[in-house]
């Protein structure tokens, strides 16, 4: 029966009222969000000198070994970070979904707490932990994996460890969203049909969680290639990533056109990942 | 012209025709039920009267003025919703006072006074300071009722108000609703899918089907003479038999001939027999059949009996007993037979 | 009764879980531990116990100034984004406007677009059209990135609310503004409060947009901490960071009380 509120039935006043309500927000987002992002696109095709091609800034990026190495490092690290997060995030999400509410809830809270603390504070913790004499470096030397007085600061391993911690909540929450829609009866049915716990996990839960793992991976990868605070502080100047390089050019060398071109490339990569991510999550919610 | 006039109301949702030209005249002070299965358009019609939906065609006239284009807040009606729609952040008293406050016609003290009176009318004055969620379903229901009657609305609209209550509470509420109607004399329109509720509460039943009025008559009349097979079925699970009217009598599908007065003209016709008008054993008229099933229902027993190609239901007292497979006779008196139009 | 989980899964799972939790909480715990050292250098484990670095922070005009800037900024951001976000969420919830789903996507997009891209765009616009970055530019930038949180929390509570209540209010004679004030805003209350705490937390902790919009005389706490971390941090940085962690915990508890984290997170 047509019970729900129908747009046309709210009366003529509702339209004007909605315009008034959404107006300030729409103006803010168009003026202070879409316009600045559009400005990047415009600047990226403005050549440094008149008469040059609109692709000049992009050509500079692709012709310089340095930037290509930075881009390759960014890509490689992000792939590793995404894989590690998925491997840790799946069991964590499963446990949160299947343990008693209180336990799962506490776990969720403890996962979200780091997400909500400032990125500089979290990174600071890793600087101490990974640095000389820090617990992680000590642990590694105890296990015979590193020299005494070793440090993971300014190493790619260090960047991966710190970034995984920063991004794990995104993977866990996205995967949890999918796992919590898997009815426990499916697992029980699988058990009654002779599959053990691990085989049930492998053949029932994991395949059904794939949409969550895929969208979580897309999100984590997108966030990973575009973050700069953690890689900059942990990796230092010797291991620049793309976002860090953009930050340097925008704030120190003030080479905006080139920074805009790199941002455009990053934006294209991120949109290329986020659009499938949004499509995946929307289908699930819709 | 009646107090509330609906003329040729049509309503479409996309390609779905929810209402196909409904016209109704409702007298001041009457209690009318809109009855029908879900999807028949009864709630849509109620919402159009309230102003919550705009019809595609037709008009709504209340007390001589056309309100078709008027928003709900300007219509001075009251509607009680299935979910009760109590404001969770306000006390019971503030909920009941809400319409008075919106219209801002009197002082706060006066509004509180009237809200208390309305609450007293539904015997809930002692809960005035509670929050809706602290009340039981039946109490919430009565708060919603008090809120609906507090400002003497021109029409009281009730949208399946009893459907969320259990059987006992529902009976109590029915009595209360009737009592209030008699005391306040409010013009009341009541939407329900429950035929018993419609028959017991209202003095007029409008039976709807697929967006049109199937039958519109006083409650007792519509029960005694449903008029159409759909109405017969919906209003009391009556038996509808396809028969052939011949000059010598009425021929059933099993070949039996009956003599029934006031039969329509010769040819195919539909004979309506109420379950409770039938009994096991010989009557003035008798049908031969075989018992297919026996359903024990406490004070009564329902038999499903096969008569030729037709299956009929018989509602009898407990003492008449037959078992599935038995060959029996079903009797009835000819004046109880009705013809579908 | 058959055991749902074999012992190996319970033990192994418990162990993995413990490791993950240690891993997740490690940096925060280390910062807190390092802040109470009695020594002069940043070490873990700390040397002895003292609150001297907290005293140092509370006596430092630079830190107090940054804290003041952060508080003013976060308060202003919370106010602006609560007003803008709540109004937008109500309009989006009503679905009266054409293209509501496109608008909804627009309002949530700052949540998914990497802040670095937004940050550089804002820096460019502020520099070209407004004579350089400023606290006002930062306020606008933070409002943009916090509005989606409000829209989400308010939309979530509104979609749980009984839609018949607003209709009932109409039949009882409530006009549009009265419905907004007496029905919709009370219905949205929990979402507004939780979203406000969210916005405050995000703005107070935000570093990326702040770093891009660095301008003379404007320094927030995260900007100051970042600057210290680039060189050689002292235990005072740990003390400030610990205070920020505590503030976040307080805000999380508040959000949890008003709305429940699961609804915001999911």
């Amino acid at each position: 029966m047509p019970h729900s509120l129908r747009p046309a039935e709210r009366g003529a006043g509702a339209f004007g009222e909605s315009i008034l309500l959404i107006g300030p927000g729409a103006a803010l987002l168009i003026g202070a969000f879409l316009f600045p992002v559009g400005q990047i696109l415009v600047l990226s095709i403005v050549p440094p000198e008149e008469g040059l091609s609109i692709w000049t800034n992009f050509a500079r990026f692709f012709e310089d070994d340095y930037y290509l190495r930075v881009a390759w490092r960014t890509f490689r690290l992000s792939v590793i970070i995404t894989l590690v997060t998925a491997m840790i995030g799946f069991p964590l999400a499963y446990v949160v979904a299947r343990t008693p509410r209180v336990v799962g809830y506490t776990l969720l809270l403890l996962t979200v707490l780091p997400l909500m603390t400032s990125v500089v504070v979290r990174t600071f913790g890793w600087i101490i932990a990974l640095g000389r004499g820090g617990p992680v470096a000590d642990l590694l030397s105890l296990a015979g994996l590193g020299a005494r007085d070793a440090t993971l600061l300014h190493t790619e391993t260090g960047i991966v460890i710190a970034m995984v911690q920063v991004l794990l909540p995104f993977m866990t929450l996205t995967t949890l969203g999918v796992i919590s829609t898997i009815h426990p009866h499916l697992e029980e049915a699988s058990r009654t049909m002779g599959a053990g716990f691990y085989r049930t996990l492998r053949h029932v839960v994991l395949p059904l969680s794939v949409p969550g793992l895929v969208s979580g991976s897309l999100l984590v990868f997108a966030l990973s290639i575009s973050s700069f605070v953690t890689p900059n502080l942990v990796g230092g100047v010797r291991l620049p990533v793309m976002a860090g390089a953009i930050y340097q050019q925008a704030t120190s060398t003030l080479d905006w056109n080139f920074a805009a071109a790199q941002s455009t490339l990053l934006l294209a990569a991120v949109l290329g990942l986020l659009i499938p991510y949004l499509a995946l999550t929307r289908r699930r919610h819709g | 012209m009646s107090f509330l006039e609906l003329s040729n109301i049509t309503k479409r949702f996309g390609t779905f025709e929810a209402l196909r030209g409904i016209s109704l005249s409702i007298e001041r002070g009457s209690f009318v039920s809109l009855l029908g299965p879900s999807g028949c358009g009864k709630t849509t019609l109620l919402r159009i009267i309230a102003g919550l939906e705009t019809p595609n065609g037709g008009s709504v006239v209340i007390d001589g003025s056309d309100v078709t284009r008027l928003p709900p807040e300007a219509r001075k009606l009251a509607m009680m919703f299935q979910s009760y729609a109590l404001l969770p952040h306000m006390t019971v008293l503030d909920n009941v006072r809400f319409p008075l406050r919106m219209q801002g016609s009197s002082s706060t003290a006066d509004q509180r006074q009237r809200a208390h009176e309305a609450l007293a009318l539904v015997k809930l004055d002692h809960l005035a300071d509670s929050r809706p969620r602290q009340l039981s379903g039946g109490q919430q229901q009565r708060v919603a009722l008090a809120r609906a009657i507090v400002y003497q609305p021109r029409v009281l609209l009730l949208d399946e108000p009893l459907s969320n209550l259990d059987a006992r509470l529902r009976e109590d509420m029915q009595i209360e609703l009737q009592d209030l109607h008699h005391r306040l004399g409010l013009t009341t329109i009541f939407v329900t899918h429950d035929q018993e509720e419609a028959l017991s509460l209202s003095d007029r039943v409008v039976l709807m089907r697929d967006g049109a009025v199937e039958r519109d008559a006083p409650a007792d009349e519509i029960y005694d003479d449903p008029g159409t097979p759909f109405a017969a079925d919906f209003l009391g699970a009556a038996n509808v038999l396809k028969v052939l009217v011949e000059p010598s009598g009425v021929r059933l599908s099993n070949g039996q001939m009956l003599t029934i007065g006031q039969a329509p003209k010769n040819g195919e016709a539909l004979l309506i027999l109420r379950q409770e008008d039938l009994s096991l054993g010989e009557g003035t008229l008798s049908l031969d059949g075989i018992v297919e099933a026996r359903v024990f229902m406490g004070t009564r027993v329902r038999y499903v009996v096969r008569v030729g190609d037709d299956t009929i239901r018989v509602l009898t007292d407990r003492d008449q007993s037959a078992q599935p497979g038995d060959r029996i006779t079903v009797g009835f008196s000819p004046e109880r037979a009705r013809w579908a139009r | 009764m058959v055991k749902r989980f074999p012992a190996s899964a319970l033990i192994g799972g418990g162990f993995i879980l413990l490791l993950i939790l240690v891993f997740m909480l490690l940096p925060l715990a280390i910062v807190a531990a390092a802040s109470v050292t009695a020594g002069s250098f940043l070490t873990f484990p700390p040397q002895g116990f003292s609150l001297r670095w907290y005293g140092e922070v509370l006596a430092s005009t630079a830190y107090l100034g940054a804290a003041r800037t952060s508080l003013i900024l976060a308060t202003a951001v919370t106010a602006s984004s609560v007003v803008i976000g709540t109004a937008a969420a109500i309009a989006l919830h009503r679905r009266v406007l054409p293209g509501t789903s496109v608008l909804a996507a627009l309002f949530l997009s700052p949540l998914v677009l990497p802040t670095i891209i937004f940050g550089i765009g804002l820096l460019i616009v502020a520099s070209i059209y407004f004579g350089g970055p400023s606290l006002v530019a930062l306020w606008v930038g933070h409002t943009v990135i916090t509005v989606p949180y409000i829209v989400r929390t308010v939309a979530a509570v509104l979609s749980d609310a009984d839609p018949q209540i607003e209709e009932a209010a109409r039949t009882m004679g409530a006009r549009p503004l009265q419905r907004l004030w007496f029905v919709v805003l009370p219905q949205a209350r929990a979402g507004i409060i939780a979203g406000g705490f969210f916005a405050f937390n995000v703005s107070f902790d935000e570093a990326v947009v702040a770093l891009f919009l660095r301008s003379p005389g404007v320094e927030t706490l995260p900007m100051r901490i970042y600057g210290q971390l680039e060189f050689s941090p002292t235990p005072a940085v740990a003390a400030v960071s610990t205070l920020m962690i505590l503030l976040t915990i307080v805000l999380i508890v508040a959000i949890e009380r008003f709305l429940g984290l699961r609804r915001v997170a999911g």
Side-chain angles (χ1 to χ4, degrees), chain A residues 38-164:
Chain A
Q39 197 72 29
I40 298 176
L41 304 183
V42 172
L43 277 193
S44 73
I45 57 169
V46 173
E49 285 168 51
E50 273 201 51
L52 291 174
S53 140
I54 57 165
W55 304 112
T56 310
N57 297 315
F58 295 99
R60 185 175 154 201
F61 178 84
F62 287 108
E63 282 160 6
D64 191 326
D65 252 10
Y66 174 79
Y67 294 112
L68 288 179
R69 274 206 312 278
V70 169
W72 170 242
R73 176 182 302 120
T74 309
F75 175 78
R76 192 164 38 86
L77 289 180
S78 298
V79 168
I80 298 170
I81 289 162
T82 306
L83 287 178
V84 176
T85 350
M87 275 166 11
I88 305 177
F90 172 70
L92 183 60
Y94 181 75
V95 173
V96 171
R98 289 290 180 261
T99 45
R101 275 188 74 87
V102 186
V103 181
Y105 200 74
T106 315
L107 284 174
L108 192 68
L109 216 64
L110 290 175
T111 321
V112 173
L113 171 65
L115 180 68
M116 289 188 53
T117 49
S118 180
V119 65
V120 290
V121 172
R122 270 177 292 165
T123 306
F124 179 32
W126 284 115
I127 290 177
I128 309 175
L130 298 169
R132 211 175 305 274
V136 176
D138 278 356
L139 210 67
L140 288 183
S141 72
L142 262 180
L145 287 172
R148 265 179 60 80
D149 259 15
T151 172
L152 286 173
L153 274 187
H154 312 304
T155 66
E156 294 190 344
T157 315
I159 298 181
V160 170
I161 292 176
M163 286 295 289
V164 165

Side-chain angles (χ1 to χ4, degrees), chain B residues 114-127:
Chain B
R114 283 171 66 188
H116 274 296
E117 284 166 14
L119 276 173
L121 218 51
V122 297
K123 304 179 200 79
L124 274 185
D125 205 20
H126 59 291
L127 292 174

Side-chain angles (χ1 to χ4, degrees), chain B residues 47 50 52 71-73 77 79 81-90 98-99 101-103 147 151, chain C residues 162-176 178-179 181-187 189:
Chain B
R47 289 170 61 85
L52 294 167
E73 56 266 32
L77 311 175
M79 179 155 166
F81 290 79
Q82 208 170 357
S83 69
Y84 315 144
L86 299 178
L87 296 145
H89 56 284
M90 290 184 187
F98 187 79
R101 195 171 163 197
M102 291 303 105
Q103 286 147 11
R147 191 174 68 173
Y151 57 105
Chain C
D162 180 358
Q164 290 191 337
I165 293 183
E166 205 186 338
E167 297 197 327
R170 292 196 78 175
T171 62
M172 290 184 282
R175 289 180 298 279
Q178 289 175 313
R179 296 202 293 275
W181 184 254
F182 289 108
V183 181
V184 182
L185 286 178
Q187 281 179 335
R189 186 173 159 273

Side-chain angles (χ1 to χ4, degrees), chain B residues 52-71:
Chain B
L52 294 167
E53 310 263 3
T54 314
N56 294 105
S59 67
V60 181
V61 175
I62 300 177
D63 208 3
S65 61
D66 188 331
V67 299
T68 318
R69 302 284 146 196
L70 224 52

Side-chain angles (χ1 to χ4, degrees), chain A residues 228 246-247 250-251, chain C residues 116 119-120 123 133 207-214:
Chain A
F228 86 95
I246 295 173
Y247 175 65
T251 57
Chain C
I116 178 169
I120 180 172
L123 168 68
V208 178
V209 171
L211 285 170
F212 273 100
L213 296 182
R214 203 189 280 265

